[in-house]
């Protein structure tokens, strides 16, 4: 079974600084997808970034980028120029697609605090 | 706003009761997913429907059931409720049926409290 591990329950960073959130996963599959979702105090789950395992190039969305290391099964999220609005729980997720059946497996989350 | 709607936002009920949570997917999406977020279990996948048919099943209890209707909205039925069923229940949707993975977008969730 696939598992996702986020080893940092909490992280904090100064506003405008850069922070990296860690995620590792375990799978025997070769084709899969990885995501970072953000959950602010409103509890809404917001997609931050997505990475296809067959792509070697790391995904980037504005201030958010990932470091995807397939061999090491590592998928970290880097947030540059941190803003107060980035404060949230961040969840790493792994998704498989088998004959139309899809599901997300989530890590336990990292709570990110932004210090002004 | 993801375009996925869920009702009600909050639900308070007693042990042993039955409740129904409702989800309307984004326009054009055929797949609907249900997830449970609790303090002790984290975010867990419950079930997926595609165009009215069950496609994948996760850690869904036998007391729970779901369905997707012809208009593509979905309902999650929770019966014989226990204190441990208190959680945030999310619905997500995606286009589905593309022959490959596509991104799931989440609704705002329904917070269920069982007293």
């Amino acid at each position: 079974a696939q598992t996702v591990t986020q080893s940092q329950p909490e992280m904090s960073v100064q506003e405008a600084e850069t922070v990296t959130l860690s995620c590792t996963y375990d799978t025997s599959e070769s084709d899969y997808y990885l995501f970072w979702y953000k959950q602010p105090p409103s509890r809404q789950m917001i997609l931050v970034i997505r990475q296809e395992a067959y792509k070697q190039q790391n995904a980037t969305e504005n201030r958010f980028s990932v470091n995807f290391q397939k061999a090491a099964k590592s998928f970290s999220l880097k947030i540059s120029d941190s803003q107060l609005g980035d404060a949230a729980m961040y969840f790493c997720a792994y998704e498989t697609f088998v004959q139309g059946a899809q599901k997300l497996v989530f890590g336990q989350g990292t709570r990110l605090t932004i210090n002004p | 706003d993801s375009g996925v709607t869920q009702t009600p936002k909050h639900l308070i009920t007693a042990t042993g009761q039955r409740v129904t949570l409702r989800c309307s997917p984004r326009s054009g999406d055929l797949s609907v997913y249900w997830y449970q977020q609790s303090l002790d279990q984290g975010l867990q996948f419950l079930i997926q429907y595609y165009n009215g048919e069950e496609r994948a099943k996760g850690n869904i209890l036998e007391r729970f059931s779901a369905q997707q209707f012809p208009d593509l909205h979905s309902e999650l039925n929770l019966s014989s409720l226990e204190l441990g069923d208190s959680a945030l229940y999310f619905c997500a949707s995606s286009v589905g049926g593309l022959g490959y993975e596509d991104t799931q977008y989440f609704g705002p969730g329904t917070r269920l409290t069982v007293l």
Side-chain angles (χ1 to χ4, degrees):
Chain A
Q2 298 87 7
T3 58
V4 177
T5 302
Q6 294 179 248
S7 59
Q8 307 151 316
E10 296 183 357
M11 292 280 285
S12 64
V13 64
Q14 291 296 126
E15 192 176 4
E17 297 292 308
T18 296
V19 64
T20 298
L21 309 184
S22 301
C23 172
T24 57
Y25 57 94
D26 188 22
T27 183
S28 58
E29 298 177 345
S30 59
D31 196 15
Y32 49 87
Y33 301 80
L34 297 163
F35 301 83
W36 281 96
Y37 282 89
K38 167 185 176 181
Q39 187 177 41
S42 67
R43 309 294 275 180
Q44 174 80 50
M45 293 290 288
I46 301 167
L47 175 68
V48 175
I49 201 164
R50 152 193 166 135
Q51 174 79 45
E52 293 87 347
Y54 63 86
K55 288 187 177 179
Q56 292 189 344
Q57 186 173 5
N58 290 324
T60 299
E61 287 288 340
N62 301 314
R63 297 182 295 107
F64 299 86
S65 61
V66 299
N67 184 4
F68 173 49
Q69 301 289 330
K70 190 172 183 179
K73 296 180 183 175
S74 169
F75 183 61
S76 60
L77 175 70
K78 185 172 83 170
I79 306 174
S80 304
D81 185 26
S82 298
Q83 300 176 0
L84 295 178
D86 295 333
M89 281 289 288
Y90 285 81
F91 291 95
C92 177
Y94 169 102
E95 183 172 40
T96 58
F97 179 89
V98 179
Q99 295 180 339
Q102 293 177 236
K103 70 173 186 179
L104 287 167
V105 177
F106 287 91
Q108 289 299 102
T110 296
R111 182 175 302 282
L112 178 64
T113 302
I114 311 295
N115 300 312
Chain B
D1 185 357
S2 67
V4 180
T5 60
Q6 289 187 248
T7 56
K9 284 188 177 180
H10 302 278
L11 201 48
I12 301 174
T13 188
T15 55
Q17 295 299 304
R18 172 190 171 93
V19 297
T20 297
L21 312 184
R22 182 186 169 104
C23 168
S24 293
R26 297 185 315 159
S27 177
D29 285 358
L30 298 179
S31 267
V32 169
Y33 312 78
W34 287 96
Y35 291 86
Q36 179 194 57
Q37 185 177 28
S38 61
L39 283 175
D40 55 344
Q41 296 291 327
L43 266 159
Q44 291 210 324
F45 168 74
L46 296 178
I47 198 163
Q48 176 203 5
Y49 276 84
Y50 171 73
N51 204 20
E53 294 186 357
E54 183 185 303
R55 275 288 174 91
K57 216 166 187 177
N59 300 322
I60 187 166
L61 300 172
E62 285 192 11
R63 300 183 286 108
F64 296 1
S65 65
Q67 54 184 324
Q68 186 179 27
F69 294 86
D71 68 352
L72 301 176
H73 91 271
S74 178
E75 293 181 356
L76 179 66
N77 299 296
L78 314 177
S79 62
S80 303
L81 285 168
E82 302 175 359
L83 296 178
D85 297 328
S86 295
L88 188 55
Y89 290 85
F90 284 107
C91 171
S93 76
S94 72
V95 175
L98 299 172
Y100 55 87
E101 181 279 343
D102 60 322
T103 300
Q104 297 180 31
Y105 294 92
F106 283 74
T110 293
R111 177 167 293 285
L112 173 67
T113 302
V114 182
L115 301 175

